[in-house]
Amino acid sequence: MVEQVLAKRCIVLMMIMFFLVLFMGHVSNANTVICLNNCQKQCMNETKDAPHDVCKNACKKLCNDLQFSQEQYLVPQTGYRSIPCRMVNWGCP
């Protein structure tokens, strides 16, 4: 009985996670499409003589940079040892 309830909960949670992943992918793609559309319109208005391909490539690069510019990475320190490792010196790298 308990196993059936846990199995049903697990299935429901997996379905929720699946739809969340789909939704997040859709939102990310929608933001990129909106950025590209607005950028291309502005580019074409600013530069009357520029071909469509020039604006398209410039906007792809700009929107890509804007989308991923806020990513940050944590780099572990080399040679750093925590306080317990310094005190005991057992089981630490």
Side-chain angles (χ1 to χ4, degrees):
M1 183 69 183
V2 173
E3 294 157 358
Q4 290 176 346
V5 172
L6 290 176
K8 288 180 183 178
R9 286 184 184 174
C10 184
I11 290 171
V12 169
L13 287 175
M14 286 193 310
M15 290 176 66
I16 290 171
M17 293 304 294
F18 176 73
F19 286 115
L20 280 174
V21 168
L22 287 178
F23 177 73
M24 295 305 289
H26 174 72
V27 168
S28 176
N29 186 38
N31 289 341
T32 304
V33 169
I34 290 170
C35 178
L36 285 173
N37 288 341
N38 292 340
C39 178
Q40 285 179 0
K41 288 177 187 174
Q42 185 176 358
C43 178
M44 295 302 275
N45 289 339
E46 293 290 328
T47 58
K48 302 288 185 198
D49 299 331
H52 180 69
D53 292 340
V54 172
C55 285
K56 184 176 180 181
N57 290 336
C59 287
K60 278 184 183 178
K61 182 171 177 13
L62 177 70
C63 290
N64 224 7
D65 290 345
L66 289 174
Q67 184 176 9
F68 297 114
S69 66
Q70 297 175 353
E71 287 187 0
Q72 297 177 354
Y73 301 97
L74 293 176
V75 180
Q77 297 177 351
T78 56
Y80 173 76
R81 297 180 64 187
S82 64
I83 293 173
C85 284
R86 281 184 267 161
M87 295 172 99
V88 179
N89 207 13
W90 177 75
C92 300

